[in-house]
């Protein structure tokens, strides 16, 4: 995009949401396992997010497990009519906090009912099917069986819209042949740009792309180029990285996570950060250097 103006909303399912949302993963304990060290602080972040205009919250019942959904219910129920809560199924946690595949029909059904119960809702607005052929990233393989099971739960009225997470372009194409895909959630950031072509394909069809780990996740992105742009604009590297994603394509929806009200406000301010052309060029050089 060449304009410094970026649209502030996009369609998710049949709802219009602000492109800067909130991801609840960090509200659980260390390693996304167990309760937060400060429950009241976690509740305060959720309430501040909604009070600040956030209408798209990303969560999962395997965060904790169960912790983040229970916090969301305590903080925000009864939910505002414009709030879209997106959850994920397809994984579970081991007793020691490991991430395990869980996408048999029985496991997916149980996960949908767990999310319904812990969020305190009668229907889940959007459910992302996380594909777990490889815990560390997308890996090829047919997703027909688990997606058909989720589509059956949709026909039962328990799920309104279905998305995909941790998927390849081939799996997105396969999924779109089975049911309507409302969004795709994969890792993508300034330095991790494997999905460039997929983002553009989805944009042409009006399908949101939701990148996670906008600054690298568990191994944070370190870039002098990013830091220099941030310093020049009087912003934080996270704000610049988020603003770059908003500029990258109008179908990108962001879900930065934090357990801090101050950090939440910083993240939301990225929506107002204008990136001049020379800043975009410098950031594209960062991406090119990482790719090289």
């Amino acid at each position: 995009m060449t304009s410094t103006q970026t649209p502030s909303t996009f369609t998710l399912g049949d709802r219009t949401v602000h492109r800067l949302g909130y991801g609840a993963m960090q509200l659980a304990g260390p390693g996304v396992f167990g309760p937060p060290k400060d429950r009241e602080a976690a509740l305060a972040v959720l309430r501040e997010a909604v009070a600040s205009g956030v209408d798209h919250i990303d969560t999962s019942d395997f965060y904790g497990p169960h912790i983040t959904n229970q916090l969301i219910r305590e903080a925000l129920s009864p939910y505002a009519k414009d709030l879209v809560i997106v959850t994920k199924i397809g994984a579970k946690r081991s007793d020691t906090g490991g991430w395990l595949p869980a996408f048999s029909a029985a496991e997916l059904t149980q996960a949908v009912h767990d999310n319904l119960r812990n969020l305190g809702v009668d229907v889940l607005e959007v459910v992302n099917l996380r594909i777990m052929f490889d815990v560390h990233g997308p890996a090829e393989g047919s997703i027909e069986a688990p997606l058909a099971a989720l589509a059956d739960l949709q026909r039962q009225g328990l799920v309104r819209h279905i998305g995909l997470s941790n998927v390849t372009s081939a799996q997105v194409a396969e999924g779109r042949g089975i049911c309507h895909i409302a969004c795709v959630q994969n890792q993508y950031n300034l330095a991790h740009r494997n999905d460039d072509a997929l983002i553009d394909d989805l944009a042409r069809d009006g399908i949101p792309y939701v990148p996670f780990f906008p600054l690298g996740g568990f191994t944070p992105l370190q870039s002098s180029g990013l830091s220099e742009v941030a310093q020049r604009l009087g912003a934080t590297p996270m704000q610049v990285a988020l603003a770059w994603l908003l500029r990258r394509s109008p179908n990108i929806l962001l879900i930065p996570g934090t357990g801090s009200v101050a950090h939440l406000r910083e993240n939301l301010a990225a929506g107002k950060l204008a990136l001049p052309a020379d800043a975009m060029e410098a950031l594209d050089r960062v991406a090119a250097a990482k790719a090289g």
Side-chain angles (χ1 to χ4, degrees):
M1 297 174 66
T2 56
S3 168
T4 56
Q5 297 298 312
T6 57
S8 62
T9 62
F10 199 76
T11 301
L12 175 58
D14 55 6
R15 310 277 286 277
T16 298
V17 297
H18 289 96
R19 293 178 63 208
L20 254 173
Y22 173 74
M25 184 174 76
Q26 293 187 33
L27 294 184
V32 202
F33 196 63
K37 63 179 181 181
D38 187 337
R39 186 179 184 86
E40 289 306 314
L43 296 171
V45 169
L46 287 163
R47 290 171 180 144
E48 176 70 18
V50 171
S52 300
V54 167
D55 52 14
H56 169 204
I57 291 179
D58 181 85
T59 186
S60 174
D61 215 52
F62 54 69
Y63 294 162
H66 315 304
I67 299 295
T68 62
N69 281 354
Q70 291 168 358
L71 289 167
I72 288 169
R73 181 178 185 174
E74 181 177 345
L76 302 177
S77 180
Y79 302 111
K81 287 187 172 61
D82 65 348
L83 180 62
V84 177
I85 299 176
V86 179
T87 191
K88 273 181 297 300
I89 62 176
K92 62 183 178 182
R93 309 302 294 278
S94 71
D95 291 343
T96 55
W99 303 83
L100 304 172
F103 45 79
S104 70
E107 288 170 319
L108 296 175
T109 300
Q110 181 64 53
V112 163
H113 284 283
D114 286 346
N115 278 276
L116 289 167
R117 182 182 66 255
N118 285 311
L119 287 170
V121 295
D122 296 324
V123 58
L124 300 172
E125 190 67 31
V126 183
V127 175
N128 286 325
L129 175 63
R130 181 172 176 84
I131 301 304
M132 294 283 288
F133 296 141
D134 185 337
V135 174
H136 303 293
E140 296 294 358
S142 175
I143 63 172
E144 180 178 2
L147 188 55
L150 181 51
D152 187 51
L153 293 164
Q154 183 183 41
R155 283 189 291 272
Q156 294 174 35
L158 301 178
V159 174
R160 285 204 177 94
H161 301 283
I162 292 173
L164 296 173
S165 178
N166 200 44
V167 283
T168 67
S169 295
Q171 288 163 342
V172 172
E174 181 187 22
R176 294 181 69 185
I178 295 169
C179 66
H180 175 70
I181 299 301
C183 57
V184 173
Q185 185 181 109
N186 275 2
Q187 181 176 359
Y188 182 84
N189 56 48
L190 186 60
H192 186 97
R193 298 184 58 173
N194 296 350
D195 278 357
D196 270 337
L198 175 60
I199 289 170
D200 295 339
D201 287 343
L202 294 173
R204 282 189 285 271
D205 292 332
I207 298 173
Y209 180 95
V210 187
F212 58 80
F213 293 160
L215 257 189
F218 298 116
T219 53
L221 170 64
Q222 301 292 329
S223 164
S224 58
L226 175 61
S227 298
E228 287 165 8
V229 170
Q231 186 173 13
R232 179 155 58 88
L233 297 179
T236 67
M238 181 67 164
Q239 287 173 323
V240 172
L242 294 173
W244 178 85
L245 285 165
L246 290 172
R247 281 284 302 278
R248 167 62 184 84
S249 184
N251 66 321
I252 287 181
L253 301 180
L254 300 183
I255 49 167
T258 178
S260 155
V261 167
H263 191 199
L264 171 73
R265 290 171 178 158
E266 279 186 12
N267 289 344
L268 294 179
K272 298 182 174 64
L273 179 62
L275 294 180
D278 60 346
M280 289 297 290
E281 290 167 6
L283 293 171
D284 283 339
R285 286 195 294 272
V286 170
K290 293 290 181 180

